[in-house]
Amino acid sequence: MSNIIEVKELNKIYKLYDNKKDRLKEALNFFLKKKKYHKDFYALNNINLSVRKGEIVGLLGKNGAGKSTLLKVITGVLTQSSGTLDIEGKISALIELGAGFNPEYTGRENIYLYGTLMGYSKEEMNNKISDIIKFADIGDFIEQPVKVYSSGMFARLAFSCSINVNPDILIVDEILAVGDMRFQMKCITKMKEMMKKGVTILFVSHDINTIKRFCTRAVWLKDGKVELDGDINYVTDRYLDFLKFEEATQGMETQEEIEKNIEEINVRNIAEIKSFKMLSIDGIEKEKFRKYDVLKVEVTYEVYDEDIEDPVLGVAIKSIDNKYICGLNTLLDKKEIPWKKGENKYYLTYEMGVLVFGGMYYFDCALFESTATVPIQYISKVKEFMIESNYDGEGTFMIPHKWSEDSRLGNSLGD
């Protein structure tokens, strides 16, 4: 497929002044160019992006990350400070509610105005206007000035105009958050029809699940830069990890202080954990697993004192925002670990895989005395790992299940 959007080394720079006087001083010194009175703010910083025809691209990022600025540059509402932008095809955009509408014009008049902006003649719009009015479904208000419209009516008319002018590229920025549920469902259905026809769509939404449902690819913008671009599940999972970690660490100490405060009791004259490995079913060490992949943990520990009775090995999984996912130990499972002087190994196997949804997680590992209360050694974040997952559920865990018409209770993993 050919590229319908090609963005190369794109920058959008705004000049920030501390006060109005500095702006005036710089204007007066324009020809002399002796001193700069402003600071450069990069709303977009060296953006490189290629979009193929028919792709459905979800744009992710916090407020202020540069999403709307990028879309406005692509649509021509803003001009880039530097870099190149090549667009093949006609763009229809829903970036700002009712952008391009004249509030004094009626709904019908604004339909023709929008058509003119899209390059259609009045005769061509005559063939489209009935479909637009029918989809908007705002009744007699189509003959009223749009300044009297509610936000929901505005959304109906704006969306109806955008999708009924046969665009090659549709840009949608949070517009589906406006309007009632039935209208949103109608919009979704129409967008699916456009996807099947090969329309390229750039989609912005803070609802990550919506991005996952609709998009075939994701681009994460952070501080005006492309942080990550690629597979929809991988990028959205990493973005969610970023949001979780940021939320979890707000108001916390610096990383150096955190590390100083982590209680890792290491009694070297008793025992010491020497290595912690994550192995595939084939015994290969790796850091990325699919959700249902067998994951085997290999813990190697050095025993210095053989006289410890019934020592316990514990392994815990936590999410990147420090939520406790699953903690296991040999005391609870009534297992006896080897405890001979010198090097010992013991294994923990997650036979059905780690049934959590995609993202970054980490292991804690510890050796305890017989009650698993006092740690001989406790290592926090001994190893990080990635779970890669398709969009096949929501929440934190995937609970084994089945759907059926059969009312009989039985093994959910059976037929």
Side-chain angles (χ1 to χ4, degrees), residues 192-230:
K192 286 181 177 178
E193 292 176 5
M194 297 175 75
M195 292 174 190
K196 290 179 181 178
K197 292 179 181 178
V199 174
T200 303
I201 298 178
L202 300 184
F203 191 81
V204 175
S205 175
H206 287 294
D207 184 349
I208 304 301
N209 290 327
T210 300
I211 293 282
K212 283 190 172 188
R213 289 187 190 103
F214 282 99
C215 302
T216 55
R217 170 184 163 199
V219 177
W220 171 14
L221 292 181
K222 181 183 177 186
D223 300 325
K225 299 179 181 179
V226 175
E227 181 75 10
L228 205 57
D229 178 359

mmCIF file of all heavy atoms in Angstrom, residues 192-230:
data_model
loop_
_atom_site.group_PDB
_atom_site.id
_atom_site.type_symbol
_atom_site.label_atom_id
_atom_site.label_comp_id
_atom_site.label_asym_id
_atom_site.label_seq_id
_atom_site.Cartn_x
_atom_site.Cartn_y
_atom_site.Cartn_z
ATOM 1 N N LYS A 192 -17.183 2.154 10.632
ATOM 2 C CA LYS A 192 -16.836 0.792 10.208
ATOM 3 C C LYS A 192 -17.058 0.624 8.709
ATOM 4 O O LYS A 192 -16.259 -0.020 8.016
ATOM 5 C CB LYS A 192 -17.672 -0.227 10.980
ATOM 6 C CG LYS A 192 -17.256 -0.416 12.428
ATOM 7 C CD LYS A 192 -18.120 -1.471 13.101
ATOM 8 C CE LYS A 192 -17.681 -1.737 14.523
ATOM 9 N NZ LYS A 192 -18.555 -2.735 15.193
ATOM 10 N N GLU A 193 -18.139 1.197 8.195
ATOM 11 C CA GLU A 193 -18.402 1.142 6.754
ATOM 12 C C GLU A 193 -17.286 1.825 5.974
ATOM 13 O O GLU A 193 -16.838 1.334 4.930
ATOM 14 C CB GLU A 193 -19.739 1.807 6.441
ATOM 15 C CG GLU A 193 -20.954 1.068 6.968
ATOM 16 C CD GLU A 193 -22.241 1.828 6.711
ATOM 17 O OE1 GLU A 193 -22.174 2.883 6.026
ATOM 18 O OE2 GLU A 193 -23.304 1.400 7.190
ATOM 19 N N MET A 194 -16.828 2.963 6.491
ATOM 20 C CA MET A 194 -15.759 3.699 5.823
ATOM 21 C C MET A 194 -14.451 2.919 5.862
ATOM 22 O O MET A 194 -13.678 2.927 4.900
ATOM 23 C CB MET A 194 -15.585 5.074 6.482
ATOM 24 C CG MET A 194 -16.809 5.960 6.368
ATOM 25 S SD MET A 194 -16.656 7.525 7.263
ATOM 26 C CE MET A 194 -15.542 8.415 6.176
ATOM 27 N N MET A 195 -14.207 2.226 6.982
ATOM 28 C CA MET A 195 -12.992 1.411 7.083
ATOM 29 C C MET A 195 -12.994 0.327 6.011
ATOM 30 O O MET A 195 -11.971 0.058 5.374
ATOM 31 C CB MET A 195 -12.911 0.776 8.468
ATOM 32 C CG MET A 195 -12.669 1.756 9.602
ATOM 33 S SD MET A 195 -12.758 0.912 11.215
ATOM 34 C CE MET A 195 -12.751 2.316 12.328
ATOM 35 N N LYS A 196 -14.144 -0.320 5.819
ATOM 36 C CA LYS A 196 -14.252 -1.390 4.828
ATOM 37 C C LYS A 196 -14.014 -0.865 3.419
ATOM 38 O O LYS A 196 -13.551 -1.597 2.539
ATOM 39 C CB LYS A 196 -15.627 -2.052 4.915
ATOM 40 C CG LYS A 196 -15.840 -2.874 6.177
ATOM 41 C CD LYS A 196 -17.232 -3.483 6.216
ATOM 42 C CE LYS A 196 -17.447 -4.290 7.495
ATOM 43 N NZ LYS A 196 -18.823 -4.852 7.569
ATOM 44 N N LYS A 197 -14.328 0.412 3.211
ATOM 45 C CA LYS A 197 -14.133 1.027 1.889
ATOM 46 C C LYS A 197 -12.703 1.512 1.682
ATOM 47 O O LYS A 197 -12.378 2.042 0.631
ATOM 48 C CB LYS A 197 -15.108 2.192 1.710
ATOM 49 C CG LYS A 197 -16.573 1.771 1.617
ATOM 50 C CD LYS A 197 -17.481 2.975 1.464
ATOM 51 C CE LYS A 197 -18.948 2.558 1.392
ATOM 52 N NZ LYS A 197 -19.857 3.734 1.280
ATOM 53 N N GLY A 198 -11.868 1.362 2.715
ATOM 54 C CA GLY A 198 -10.469 1.744 2.559
ATOM 55 C C GLY A 198 -10.146 3.172 2.909
ATOM 56 O O GLY A 198 -9.061 3.673 2.562
ATOM 57 N N VAL A 199 -11.055 3.859 3.618
ATOM 58 C CA VAL A 199 -10.772 5.227 4.053
ATOM 59 C C VAL A 199 -9.715 5.187 5.159
ATOM 60 O O VAL A 199 -9.779 4.362 6.073
ATOM 61 C CB VAL A 199 -12.052 5.927 4.573
ATOM 62 C CG1 VAL A 199 -11.731 7.302 5.155
ATOM 63 C CG2 VAL A 199 -13.075 6.044 3.451
ATOM 64 N N THR A 200 -8.743 6.066 5.075
ATOM 65 C CA THR A 200 -7.711 6.175 6.107
ATOM 66 C C THR A 200 -8.258 7.016 7.252
ATOM 67 O O THR A 200 -8.822 8.082 7.019
ATOM 68 C CB THR A 200 -6.448 6.835 5.540
ATOM 69 O OG1 THR A 200 -5.989 6.069 4.422
ATOM 70 C CG2 THR A 200 -5.350 6.905 6.587
ATOM 71 N N ILE A 201 -8.070 6.537 8.473
ATOM 72 C CA ILE A 201 -8.635 7.237 9.626
ATOM 73 C C ILE A 201 -7.550 7.489 10.667
ATOM 74 O O ILE A 201 -6.795 6.581 11.034
ATOM 75 C CB ILE A 201 -9.795 6.444 10.268
ATOM 76 C CG1 ILE A 201 -10.932 6.273 9.251
ATOM 77 C CG2 ILE A 201 -10.314 7.142 11.528
ATOM 78 C CD1 ILE A 201 -12.109 5.458 9.764
ATOM 79 N N LEU A 202 -7.471 8.736 11.131
ATOM 80 C CA LEU A 202 -6.646 9.102 12.284
ATOM 81 C C LEU A 202 -7.606 9.361 13.435
ATOM 82 O O LEU A 202 -8.462 10.234 13.351
ATOM 83 C CB LEU A 202 -5.802 10.350 11.990
ATOM 84 C CG LEU A 202 -4.825 10.264 10.824
ATOM 85 C CD1 LEU A 202 -3.996 11.545 10.742
ATOM 86 C CD2 LEU A 202 -3.911 9.068 10.956
ATOM 87 N N PHE A 203 -7.439 8.592 14.493
ATOM 88 C CA PHE A 203 -8.441 8.570 15.563
ATOM 89 C C PHE A 203 -7.794 8.919 16.896
ATOM 90 O O PHE A 203 -6.807 8.303 17.304
ATOM 91 C CB PHE A 203 -9.065 7.172 15.624
ATOM 92 C CG PHE A 203 -10.276 7.059 16.485
ATOM 93 C CD1 PHE A 203 -11.513 7.435 16.022
ATOM 94 C CD2 PHE A 203 -10.178 6.549 17.771
ATOM 95 C CE1 PHE A 203 -12.640 7.316 16.827
ATOM 96 C CE2 PHE A 203 -11.295 6.430 18.574
ATOM 97 C CZ PHE A 203 -12.523 6.815 18.103
ATOM 98 N N VAL A 204 -8.347 9.922 17.572
ATOM 99 C CA VAL A 204 -7.858 10.322 18.894
ATOM 100 C C VAL A 204 -8.951 10.072 19.918
ATOM 101 O O VAL A 204 -10.098 10.489 19.733
ATOM 102 C CB VAL A 204 -7.460 11.810 18.924
ATOM 103 C CG1 VAL A 204 -7.072 12.228 20.340
ATOM 104 C CG2 VAL A 204 -6.304 12.070 17.975
ATOM 105 N N SER A 205 -8.600 9.367 20.977
ATOM 106 C CA SER A 205 -9.540 9.150 22.063
ATOM 107 C C SER A 205 -8.758 8.838 23.325
ATOM 108 O O SER A 205 -7.706 8.193 23.277
ATOM 109 C CB SER A 205 -10.491 7.995 21.743
ATOM 110 O OG SER A 205 -11.335 7.720 22.847
ATOM 111 N N HIS A 206 -9.265 9.306 24.478
ATOM 112 C CA HIS A 206 -8.652 8.960 25.759
ATOM 113 C C HIS A 206 -9.146 7.593 26.250
ATOM 114 O O HIS A 206 -8.631 7.074 27.239
ATOM 115 C CB HIS A 206 -8.954 10.038 26.807
ATOM 116 C CG HIS A 206 -8.189 11.298 26.577
ATOM 117 N ND1 HIS A 206 -6.821 11.363 26.696
ATOM 118 C CD2 HIS A 206 -8.595 12.541 26.216
ATOM 119 C CE1 HIS A 206 -6.413 12.605 26.438
ATOM 120 N NE2 HIS A 206 -7.470 13.319 26.135
ATOM 121 N N ASP A 207 -10.108 7.026 25.549
ATOM 122 C CA ASP A 207 -10.598 5.690 25.882
ATOM 123 C C ASP A 207 -9.725 4.674 25.147
ATOM 124 O O ASP A 207 -9.892 4.438 23.946
ATOM 125 C CB ASP A 207 -12.062 5.543 25.461
ATOM 126 C CG ASP A 207 -12.669 4.207 25.868
ATOM 127 O OD1 ASP A 207 -11.907 3.308 26.281
ATOM 128 O OD2 ASP A 207 -13.895 4.065 25.771
ATOM 129 N N ILE A 208 -8.780 4.077 25.861
ATOM 130 C CA ILE A 208 -7.823 3.167 25.232
ATOM 131 C C ILE A 208 -8.519 1.948 24.642
ATOM 132 O O ILE A 208 -8.106 1.436 23.593
ATOM 133 C CB ILE A 208 -6.748 2.722 26.249
ATOM 134 C CG1 ILE A 208 -6.070 3.950 26.853
ATOM 135 C CG2 ILE A 208 -5.717 1.826 25.581
ATOM 136 C CD1 ILE A 208 -5.404 4.851 25.850
ATOM 137 N N ASN A 209 -9.581 1.476 25.278
ATOM 138 C CA ASN A 209 -10.291 0.312 24.749
ATOM 139 C C ASN A 209 -10.929 0.622 23.395
ATOM 140 O O ASN A 209 -10.997 -0.239 22.519
ATOM 141 C CB ASN A 209 -11.353 -0.166 25.736
ATOM 142 C CG ASN A 209 -10.736 -0.781 26.978
ATOM 143 O OD1 ASN A 209 -9.678 -1.385 26.910
ATOM 144 N ND2 ASN A 209 -11.380 -0.611 28.114
ATOM 145 N N THR A 210 -11.404 1.862 23.217
ATOM 146 C CA THR A 210 -11.945 2.265 21.918
ATOM 147 C C THR A 210 -10.844 2.266 20.863
ATOM 148 O O THR A 210 -11.051 1.800 19.735
ATOM 149 C CB THR A 210 -12.576 3.670 22.016
ATOM 150 O OG1 THR A 210 -13.630 3.648 22.975
ATOM 151 C CG2 THR A 210 -13.147 4.102 20.672
ATOM 152 N N ILE A 211 -9.674 2.762 21.233
ATOM 153 C CA ILE A 211 -8.533 2.741 20.318
ATOM 154 C C ILE A 211 -8.215 1.296 19.912
ATOM 155 O O ILE A 211 -7.991 0.987 18.738
ATOM 156 C CB ILE A 211 -7.295 3.380 20.987
ATOM 157 C CG1 ILE A 211 -7.515 4.885 21.227
ATOM 158 C CG2 ILE A 211 -6.043 3.144 20.149
ATOM 159 C CD1 ILE A 211 -7.362 5.758 20.035
ATOM 160 N N LYS A 212 -8.219 0.391 20.891
ATOM 161 C CA LYS A 212 -7.901 -1.004 20.602
ATOM 162 C C LYS A 212 -8.937 -1.646 19.681
ATOM 163 O O LYS A 212 -8.607 -2.473 18.823
ATOM 164 C CB LYS A 212 -7.806 -1.806 21.907
ATOM 165 C CG LYS A 212 -6.513 -1.581 22.686
ATOM 166 C CD LYS A 212 -6.401 -2.590 23.825
ATOM 167 C CE LYS A 212 -5.037 -2.524 24.487
ATOM 168 N NZ LYS A 212 -4.834 -3.609 25.456
ATOM 169 N N ARG A 213 -10.190 -1.289 19.875
ATOM 170 C CA ARG A 213 -11.249 -1.905 19.082
ATOM 171 C C ARG A 213 -11.171 -1.483 17.618
ATOM 172 O O ARG A 213 -11.425 -2.286 16.726
ATOM 173 C CB ARG A 213 -12.621 -1.520 19.644
ATOM 174 C CG ARG A 213 -12.955 -2.157 20.972
ATOM 175 C CD ARG A 213 -14.385 -1.860 21.383
ATOM 176 N NE ARG A 213 -14.634 -2.262 22.756
ATOM 177 C CZ ARG A 213 -14.696 -1.424 23.782
ATOM 178 N NH1 ARG A 213 -14.537 -0.132 23.573
ATOM 179 N NH2 ARG A 213 -14.924 -1.857 24.997
ATOM 180 N N PHE A 214 -10.851 -0.216 17.386
ATOM 181 C CA PHE A 214 -10.969 0.315 16.034
ATOM 182 C C PHE A 214 -9.669 0.349 15.244
ATOM 183 O O PHE A 214 -9.696 0.208 14.029
ATOM 184 C CB PHE A 214 -11.543 1.742 16.077
ATOM 185 C CG PHE A 214 -13.016 1.775 16.279
ATOM 186 C CD1 PHE A 214 -13.547 2.015 17.530
ATOM 187 C CD2 PHE A 214 -13.883 1.518 15.237
ATOM 188 C CE1 PHE A 214 -14.906 2.022 17.735
ATOM 189 C CE2 PHE A 214 -15.245 1.522 15.431
ATOM 190 C CZ PHE A 214 -15.763 1.766 16.685
ATOM 191 N N CYS A 215 -8.567 0.561 15.908
ATOM 192 C CA CYS A 215 -7.345 0.900 15.190
ATOM 193 C C CYS A 215 -6.483 -0.324 14.897
ATOM 194 O O CYS A 215 -6.519 -1.324 15.612
ATOM 195 C CB CYS A 215 -6.544 1.934 15.983
ATOM 196 S SG CYS A 215 -7.489 3.447 16.284
ATOM 197 N N THR A 216 -5.729 -0.221 13.835
ATOM 198 C CA THR A 216 -4.813 -1.279 13.434
ATOM 199 C C THR A 216 -3.381 -0.947 13.827
ATOM 200 O O THR A 216 -2.484 -1.778 13.684
ATOM 201 C CB THR A 216 -4.874 -1.484 11.910
ATOM 202 O OG1 THR A 216 -4.610 -0.234 11.247
ATOM 203 C CG2 THR A 216 -6.258 -1.964 11.491
ATOM 204 N N ARG A 217 -3.176 0.260 14.320
ATOM 205 C CA ARG A 217 -1.836 0.729 14.669
ATOM 206 C C ARG A 217 -1.986 1.894 15.634
ATOM 207 O O ARG A 217 -2.990 2.610 15.618
ATOM 208 C CB ARG A 217 -1.120 1.170 13.391
ATOM 209 C CG ARG A 217 0.205 1.899 13.575
ATOM 210 C CD ARG A 217 0.707 2.348 12.222
ATOM 211 N NE ARG A 217 1.731 3.363 12.311
ATOM 212 C CZ ARG A 217 2.065 4.167 11.305
ATOM 213 N NH1 ARG A 217 1.443 4.060 10.141
ATOM 214 N NH2 ARG A 217 3.017 5.061 11.454
ATOM 215 N N ALA A 218 -0.986 2.093 16.485
ATOM 216 C CA ALA A 218 -1.036 3.194 17.454
ATOM 217 C C ALA A 218 0.262 3.998 17.412
ATOM 218 O O ALA A 218 1.345 3.449 17.211
ATOM 219 C CB ALA A 218 -1.272 2.658 18.865
ATOM 220 N N VAL A 219 0.109 5.302 17.617
ATOM 221 C CA VAL A 219 1.249 6.213 17.720
ATOM 222 C C VAL A 219 1.111 6.967 19.031
ATOM 223 O O VAL A 219 0.094 7.622 19.269
ATOM 224 C CB VAL A 219 1.296 7.209 16.537
ATOM 225 C CG1 VAL A 219 2.453 8.192 16.718
ATOM 226 C CG2 VAL A 219 1.440 6.463 15.216
ATOM 227 N N TRP A 220 2.110 6.841 19.876
ATOM 228 C CA TRP A 220 2.111 7.499 21.187
ATOM 229 C C TRP A 220 2.979 8.743 21.112
ATOM 230 O O TRP A 220 4.167 8.667 20.834
ATOM 231 C CB TRP A 220 2.622 6.509 22.229
ATOM 232 C CG TRP A 220 2.892 7.077 23.594
ATOM 233 C CD1 TRP A 220 2.498 8.288 24.100
ATOM 234 C CD2 TRP A 220 3.618 6.442 24.658
ATOM 235 N NE1 TRP A 220 2.927 8.441 25.387
ATOM 236 C CE2 TRP A 220 3.620 7.333 25.752
ATOM 237 C CE3 TRP A 220 4.257 5.204 24.770
ATOM 238 C CZ2 TRP A 220 4.259 7.024 26.958
ATOM 239 C CZ3 TRP A 220 4.878 4.898 25.969
ATOM 240 C CH2 TRP A 220 4.880 5.799 27.051
ATOM 241 N N LEU A 221 2.339 9.905 21.354
ATOM 242 C CA LEU A 221 3.057 11.175 21.396
ATOM 243 C C LEU A 221 3.300 11.577 22.847
ATOM 244 O O LEU A 221 2.411 11.497 23.685
ATOM 245 C CB LEU A 221 2.259 12.278 20.690
ATOM 246 C CG LEU A 221 2.098 12.176 19.176
ATOM 247 C CD1 LEU A 221 1.310 13.363 18.654
ATOM 248 C CD2 LEU A 221 3.437 12.094 18.478
ATOM 249 N N LYS A 222 4.522 12.017 23.120
ATOM 250 C CA LYS A 222 4.895 12.465 24.457
ATOM 251 C C LYS A 222 5.796 13.681 24.336
ATOM 252 O O LYS A 222 6.839 13.629 23.687
ATOM 253 C CB LYS A 222 5.617 11.340 25.207
ATOM 254 C CG LYS A 222 6.024 11.694 26.624
ATOM 255 C CD LYS A 222 6.796 10.535 27.248
ATOM 256 C CE LYS A 222 7.289 10.895 28.641
ATOM 257 N NZ LYS A 222 8.165 9.818 29.189
ATOM 258 N N ASP A 223 5.346 14.793 24.928
ATOM 259 C CA ASP A 223 6.119 16.041 24.897
ATOM 260 C C ASP A 223 6.478 16.455 23.475
ATOM 261 O O ASP A 223 7.590 16.919 23.194
ATOM 262 C CB ASP A 223 7.394 15.911 25.735
ATOM 263 C CG ASP A 223 7.107 15.604 27.191
ATOM 264 O OD1 ASP A 223 6.086 16.106 27.707
ATOM 265 O OD2 ASP A 223 7.892 14.869 27.818
ATOM 266 N N GLY A 224 5.527 16.290 22.557
ATOM 267 C CA GLY A 224 5.743 16.731 21.187
ATOM 268 C C GLY A 224 6.559 15.790 20.331
ATOM 269 O O GLY A 224 6.851 16.102 19.175
ATOM 270 N N LYS A 225 6.932 14.625 20.869
ATOM 271 C CA LYS A 225 7.742 13.664 20.123
ATOM 272 C C LYS A 225 7.004 12.337 20.002
ATOM 273 O O LYS A 225 6.120 12.035 20.800
ATOM 274 C CB LYS A 225 9.085 13.432 20.827
ATOM 275 C CG LYS A 225 9.952 14.661 20.966
ATOM 276 C CD LYS A 225 11.244 14.316 21.704
ATOM 277 C CE LYS A 225 12.131 15.541 21.879
ATOM 278 N NZ LYS A 225 13.386 15.206 22.621
ATOM 279 N N VAL A 226 7.386 11.559 18.983
ATOM 280 C CA VAL A 226 6.844 10.207 18.855
ATOM 281 C C VAL A 226 7.593 9.306 19.828
ATOM 282 O O VAL A 226 8.785 9.037 19.658
ATOM 283 C CB VAL A 226 6.985 9.663 17.421
ATOM 284 C CG1 VAL A 226 6.525 8.217 17.359
ATOM 285 C CG2 VAL A 226 6.172 10.515 16.447
ATOM 286 N N GLU A 227 6.896 8.862 20.871
ATOM 287 C CA GLU A 227 7.503 7.993 21.873
ATOM 288 C C GLU A 227 7.534 6.544 21.397
ATOM 289 O O GLU A 227 8.507 5.824 21.622
ATOM 290 C CB GLU A 227 6.726 8.098 23.186
ATOM 291 C CG GLU A 227 7.258 7.261 24.332
ATOM 292 C CD GLU A 227 8.526 7.841 24.941
ATOM 293 O OE1 GLU A 227 8.885 8.999 24.596
ATOM 294 O OE2 GLU A 227 9.155 7.140 25.750
ATOM 295 N N LEU A 228 6.451 6.128 20.726
ATOM 296 C CA LEU A 228 6.352 4.745 20.272
ATOM 297 C C LEU A 228 5.362 4.673 19.125
ATOM 298 O O LEU A 228 4.340 5.366 19.127
ATOM 299 C CB LEU A 228 5.892 3.858 21.433
ATOM 300 C CG LEU A 228 6.256 2.373 21.420
ATOM 301 C CD1 LEU A 228 7.774 2.182 21.326
ATOM 302 C CD2 LEU A 228 5.733 1.690 22.664
ATOM 303 N N ASP A 229 5.652 3.828 18.148
ATOM 304 C CA ASP A 229 4.812 3.707 16.955
ATOM 305 C C ASP A 229 4.837 2.246 16.524
ATOM 306 O O ASP A 229 5.909 1.685 16.295
ATOM 307 C CB ASP A 229 5.365 4.613 15.851
ATOM 308 C CG ASP A 229 4.574 4.518 14.546
ATOM 309 O OD1 ASP A 229 3.606 3.736 14.479
ATOM 310 O OD2 ASP A 229 4.916 5.233 13.589
ATOM 311 N N GLY A 230 3.652 1.635 16.446
ATOM 312 C CA GLY A 230 3.650 0.247 15.992
ATOM 313 C C GLY A 230 2.392 -0.512 16.333
ATOM 314 O O GLY A 230 1.283 0.050 16.300
#
